[in-house]
Each structure stands twice: as structure tokens, then as C-alpha cells.
Amino acid sequence: MASEENGKRRRFRRIVRAGLVVAGGLVLVTAGANIATWTLSSGHRSEVAAAPSAPVVIIPGARVAPDGTPMAYLQGRLDVAIELVAAGKAQQILLSGDAGGTSGDEIASMTRYLQEKGIDPSIVRTDGAGLSTRETCERAKSMYGIDHAIIVSQYQHLPRAVALCRAAGIETEGVVAYCDCRQVTEIRNNVREWLAAPKAVAEMLLR
């Protein structure tokens, strides 16, 4: 019996060690991917006041409220786009998101918000099939012929967005969006972006 118990303990210890090795590997991969996106976007991220000029500003979609209005993350992106157009730093806006999203029609919400803020509809283009950051970037290039743009998003998401758009062949500069967000929202999105980096790096490597 003692021998059997010792065998069970040894097997358990081996399983634990293997689990720790796998967990450590995943942490290293995730950390490396995040370093990669920050490095690839380095020198191409700025605040609104220091934003460069580009023909188009790209706004990735985000969740909308039950009443169809943009929630804090999305509103922050749109407000920066409005400022960039008003300052003459962009002449057109591309809204890219999920027109049939679970939280509502992101494109309709964004379009309505910009019109209410006085943006000329003639300078706004929309892509209702930008279902991910990668698709937003690739479709901006392939479907809309964009080769030079500003992309606006919150600081957590911006390195990944800039890296993916530059990998898609767009000369991209990122501008940090505002976020009048709850702390829990900030934490959730930090975790989400941390975990999303490996997939983004893999997508860029497999292009």
C-alpha cells in the first residue's frame, strides 16, 4: 500500500510540474506578444494634441448601449475623430464595426452620433463587416483602398490596432482615445488586450 501511495504522489507531482511548465510557457508567450505589439507600434502612437495628419481616421467599433447610443469606449473614439476633423488633421472618417452585433448596430450608432455632433455625412464611410481589429485593418486596405490613416482607440488597444494596420499595408498612426470609464471596465479591457496580443502576433506572422 505504501508503495502504491508513493506512486500516486510521484504522478501527482509530475502533473503539477507539467502544469507549471505549461502555465509558465503561456505567460512568456503572452508577455512576448505584448512586447512585440508595443515595439511594432512604437513611435506611431500619440495623444490628440500631438496627432499627425492623414487623409482618413479609422474608428473601430465597440459596444453600444441598449438605447443605441455609443458607450464610453466608443464615444471616446468618436469624440477624438471629431476633434481631428475639426483641426484639419483628417478629411474623412471610416467607421468599422459590427452592424449586427449582439449589443446593437455599431455602425448605425456611430453614424448617428457623428451626425448629431455636426459631422458632414459626405465625409463618413462605413464598413459593417469590420468584426475584429484585423478585419477592420485588412478591409480598410483591400475594400476601401486606404494606404495612409490614423486609427483611434484607447491606450490598451492602440498598440495592437496600429501593429495590425501597419501589417496590413497601411501607413498608420495611432491616437489615444478618451475613456470616461469605470475602473472595472479599465481592468477588464486591460486583461482582454493582454490576452489578445498572441493571436494578433500570430496573424501578422502568417500573413
Side-chain angles (χ1 to χ4, degrees):
M1 289 292 293
S3 177
E4 184 179 341
E5 286 298 320
N6 288 336
K8 287 180 179 178
R9 291 193 188 98
R10 284 194 295 271
R11 285 193 295 273
F12 176 74
R13 285 195 291 269
R14 284 197 295 269
I15 291 169
V16 170
R17 283 195 295 269
L20 290 173
V21 169
V22 170
L26 290 174
V27 169
L28 287 174
V29 168
T30 303
N34 277 274
I35 291 169
T37 59
W38 279 81
T39 301
L40 290 168
S41 63
S42 179
H44 301 290
R45 290 177 272 115
S46 65
E47 302 290 336
V48 179
S53 296
V56 183
V57 55
I58 300 171
I59 306 298
R63 290 185 62 191
V64 300
D67 64 358
T69 58
M71 294 185 74
Y73 252 54
L74 190 52
Q75 183 177 330
R77 296 173 186 181
L78 293 166
D79 286 342
V80 168
I82 292 167
E83 288 189 28
L84 292 171
V85 169
K89 293 186 174 184
Q91 290 73 53
Q92 291 187 320
I93 299 173
L94 174 63
L95 304 176
S96 181
D98 190 348
T102 55
S103 70
D105 187 337
E106 296 171 2
I107 298 299
S109 177
M110 291 191 281
T111 301
R112 198 160 47 240
Y113 185 85
L114 292 178
Q115 289 178 349
E116 290 170 356
K117 296 295 182 178
I119 293 294
D120 182 353
S122 68
I123 71 166
V124 179
R125 292 188 284 175
T126 61
D127 178 10
L131 308 184
S132 68
T133 305
R134 177 182 62 82
E135 289 171 310
T136 287
C137 295
E138 291 181 352
R139 288 174 61 83
K141 176 69 173 180
S142 64
M143 302 291 292
Y144 296 86
I146 294 172
D147 54 23
H148 183 198
I150 294 169
I151 190 164
V152 175
S153 193
Q154 279 70 24
Y155 76 94
Q156 305 100 325
H157 177 232
L158 198 59
R160 181 163 65 95
V162 171
L164 283 168
C165 276
R166 294 186 75 84
I170 302 173
E171 183 184 342
T172 311
E173 302 297 327
V175 175
V176 180
Y178 305 126
C179 185
D180 184 14
C181 305
R182 298 177 301 165
Q183 187 175 21
V184 66
T185 302
E186 294 271 12
I187 293 171
R188 183 177 64 244
N189 283 284
N190 274 318
V191 172
R192 178 180 179 275
E193 285 304 319
W194 175 260
L195 297 176
K199 181 183 177 184
V201 171
E203 289 169 342
M204 287 185 277
L205 291 173
L206 295 173
R207 281 188 59 82

